[in-house]
Amino acid sequence: MRAIALIDGEHHPAVVRAALDALDPVGVVFCGGEEKVHAEVLDDATAHYGRDVALGPPAESLRRLVAETGARRVVDLADEPVLPPAAKLRLAALVLHLGLSYEGPGLRLSPPPSERIEFAGPKLAVIGTGKRTGKTAVAGHLASLLRDRRPVIVSMGRGGPAAPQVADAGTGLAELERIAAEGRHAASDYLEDAVLAGVPTVGCRRVGGGLAGEPHESNAAAGARLAASLGPGVIVLEGSGSCIPPVEADRTVCVVGDRADALDGLGVYRLLRADLVLVPDPALVPEVALACPGETMAFMLRAEPAGPLPEGARVAVFSTSSAPVHGLEPLVVSSALARRSELAADLDRAAAERCDVYLTELKAAAIDTVAVRARAEGARVVFVRNRPVGLDADLDAALVRLADSAG
């Protein structure tokens, strides 16, 4: 396949020229370094390397050469200290974003596959840089904003069904308890979407996760085709962890976790794909914005009850984090919803405090453990909704604009 080569000035030009002659690339990008390259070499790079060499910022050179040459891969002939591992992966992220494979000694990365689904309406993806960044909350909120357009969410999770399965809008606790009683995962993301967003959701599964977000295996493409058959006006494709749904999307929202997830390794690849990036730390926004071609916005997830609470209720809160529930002072607070060994003790505390409302996120052990114990104690179960809120701009307006721009 037609290749672009990355070279540096830490290798002697004669050594590099021999490698280039064997590779016969359609383009060459100089990435810096001057240990073995004098200024006069770069002044007449063609004479020394046997072909034209693109100088200047490597990322800009790559973009130009990809557009001009139709190359399908990038071969990295450079080395430290010019391209240490972090710099290699950042360039690899750009290469994958441009649709090319990246090859280096002992390493080959390919762009994650995206299947085209026959659907006339917009397809909006919500992806993340890691686990528990708020993808489900953002996807559900986006769908609720677009309810008049008949949205369907396609949710891909590690506990999803073997075959794509539809959860109807208005799915409730009784249905979740039935699913748990059958031995299935009753707190899967697709069920959370159906319950809290109140829109039809197709549940899918995936296993494994590559550095660039490719799952080892997933039935999400089949799920997207099932969603299209339901006659929606818009499809929302929800990622899982740092995995990206293997379906072509018209617009993408990326939800950032922490700095390392977003900017180290191939995290930048997810930012490059995004038309809107949501960042939980306002101080991190400028750095993320440098890597993202789209809009970048600081936001927060505001936890709140998804339904009314009785006046004077004795409330116990169960979640996967220590974030407070807006406007509430519970008697018991547990962040052990995903740590079952610790959760039992917190449930005992709730019983000892005679809590009559168990307010829980719809995740992890919410149904098969918390709801079961609530029923045994005669307590009511109310779910927690994590509502995304812009900190310095109108997030709802930005999400609607994104959908509008997709057609």
Side-chain angles (χ1 to χ4, degrees), residues 235-272:
I235 293 176
V236 178
L237 304 162
E238 182 184 324
S240 171
S242 61
C243 278
I244 299 167
V247 178
E248 284 190 7
D250 300 301
R251 297 290 184 273
T252 296
V253 181
C254 181
V255 190
V256 169
D258 58 28
R259 185 195 180 282
D261 286 342
L263 296 171
D264 293 347
L266 291 179
V268 171
Y269 173 66
R270 296 158 180 83
L271 303 181
L272 288 168

Side-chain angles (χ1 to χ4, degrees), residues 8-139:
D8 65 25
E10 305 300 304
H11 294 80
H12 193 279
V15 175
V16 175
R17 180 166 184 164
L20 293 175
D21 288 344
L23 179 63
D24 192 23
V26 295
V28 179
V29 174
F30 186 78
C31 297
E34 55 185 7
E35 180 180 327
K36 296 179 177 66
V37 173
H38 301 292
E40 56 267 25
V41 171
L42 297 181
D43 288 341
D44 190 10
T46 303
H48 291 85
Y49 291 105
R51 55 210 17 96
D52 291 341
V53 176
L55 307 176
E60 293 180 13
S61 297
L62 270 173
R63 289 181 182 274
R64 177 176 59 80
L65 286 174
V66 169
E68 292 176 354
T69 66
R72 302 306 305 154
R73 61 182 180 138
V74 169
V75 179
D76 188 353
L77 303 179
D79 198 0
E80 299 184 75
V82 173
L83 282 188
K88 285 178 180 288
L89 289 175
R90 186 171 283 258
L91 277 179
L94 174 61
V95 170
L96 298 180
H97 176 62
L98 295 174
L100 284 69
S101 65
Y102 171 92
E103 301 175 20
L107 177 67
R108 179 185 173 93
L109 298 169
S110 300
S114 291
E115 189 167 334
R116 183 183 295 274
I117 302 299
E118 292 299 324
F119 177 65
K123 299 182 294 294
L124 312 174
V126 179
I127 65 174
T129 60
K131 185 176 174 64
R132 297 216 165 91
T133 60
K135 294 180 296 297
T136 301
V138 172

Side-chain angles (χ1 to χ4, degrees), residues 30 64 74 97 101 160 171 194 203 233 243 268 273 293 300 333 350 353 373 380 384 389 398:
F30 186 78
R64 177 176 59 80
V74 169
H97 176 62
S101 65
T171 298
C243 278
V268 171
R273 292 178 66 107
M300 64 172 290
V333 176
E353 290 286 352
R373 184 63 180 272
R380 176 184 174 188
V384 173
V389 178

Side-chain angles (χ1 to χ4, degrees), residues 16-405:
V16 175
R17 180 166 184 164
L20 293 175
D21 288 344
L23 179 63
D24 192 23
V26 295
V28 179
V29 174
F30 186 78
C31 297
E34 55 185 7
E35 180 180 327
K36 296 179 177 66
V37 173
H38 301 292
E40 56 267 25
V41 171
L42 297 181
D43 288 341
D44 190 10
T46 303
H48 291 85
Y49 291 105
R51 55 210 17 96
D52 291 341
V53 176
L55 307 176
E60 293 180 13
S61 297
L62 270 173
R63 289 181 182 274
R64 177 176 59 80
L65 286 174
V66 169
E68 292 176 354
T69 66
R72 302 306 305 154
R73 61 182 180 138
V74 169
V75 179
D76 188 353
L77 303 179
D79 198 0
E80 299 184 75
V82 173
L83 282 188
K88 285 178 180 288
L89 289 175
R90 186 171 283 258
L91 277 179
L94 174 61
V95 170
L96 298 180
H97 176 62
L98 295 174
L100 284 69
S101 65
Y102 171 92
E103 301 175 20
L107 177 67
R108 179 185 173 93
L109 298 169
S110 300
S114 291
E115 189 167 334
R116 183 183 295 274
I117 302 299
E118 292 299 324
F119 177 65
K123 299 182 294 294
L124 312 174
V126 179
I127 65 174
T129 60
K131 185 176 174 64
R132 297 216 165 91
T133 60
K135 294 180 296 297
T136 301
V138 172
H141 187 65
L142 172 59
S144 68
L145 292 173
L146 305 177
R147 191 170 284 120
D148 61 339
R149 308 186 199 186
R150 308 182 321 281
V152 173
I153 300 174
V154 179
S155 177
M156 179 179 72
R158 282 171 276 204
Q165 186 168 325
V166 177
D168 295 329
T171 298
L173 179 59
E175 175 67 9
L176 300 180
E177 290 176 325
R178 183 186 65 79
I179 291 171
E182 294 173 352
R184 294 186 284 143
H185 183 37
S188 190
D189 288 346
Y190 83 101
L191 295 170
E192 180 181 350
D193 285 326
V195 172
L196 299 181
V199 301
T201 303
V202 178
C204 306
R205 64 165 47 170
R206 62 97 173 176
V207 63
L211 297 179
E214 179 181 355
H216 171 74
E217 186 176 303
S218 174
N219 56 12
R225 288 192 291 271
L226 174 57
S229 74
L230 300 178
V234 59
I235 293 176
V236 178
L237 304 162
E238 182 184 324
S240 171
S242 61
C243 278
I244 299 167
V247 178
E248 284 190 7
D250 300 301
R251 297 290 184 273
T252 296
V253 181
C254 181
V255 190
V256 169
D258 58 28
R259 185 195 180 282
D261 286 342
L263 296 171
D264 293 347
L266 291 179
V268 171
Y269 173 66
R270 296 158 180 83
L271 303 181
L272 288 168
R273 292 178 66 107
D275 303 283
L276 173 64
V277 176
L278 305 181
V279 186
D281 179 4
L284 186 59
V285 168
E287 193 172 2
V288 169
L290 290 175
C292 173
E295 183 179 2
T296 305
M297 181 182 300
F299 90 118
M300 64 172 290
L301 293 174
R302 187 171 67 201
E304 58 188 29
L309 302 183
E311 187 175 350
R314 300 176 65 83
V315 179
V317 172
F318 299 91
S319 70
T320 57
S321 72
S322 57
V325 177
H326 184 68
L328 191 66
E329 294 184 6
L331 293 171
V332 174
V333 176
S334 171
S335 61
L337 195 54
R339 302 188 301 276
R340 294 170 187 266
S341 59
E342 300 174 29
L343 181 60
D346 294 335
L347 286 165
D348 288 342
R349 286 198 297 126
E353 290 286 352
R354 295 179 290 109
C355 292
D356 51 13
V357 172
Y358 285 30
L359 186 61
T360 181
E361 285 186 300
L362 186 40
K363 295 184 182 298
I367 304 303
D368 61 19
T369 303
V370 173
V372 169
R373 184 63 180 272
R375 183 179 293 277
E377 300 294 339
R380 176 184 174 188
V381 174
V382 176
F383 294 120
V384 173
R385 173 190 292 113
N386 289 300
R387 183 184 298 277
V389 178
L391 296 181
D392 51 8
D394 188 336
L395 175 56
D396 288 6
L399 290 171
V400 172
R401 281 198 306 271
L402 189 76
D404 290 343
S405 71

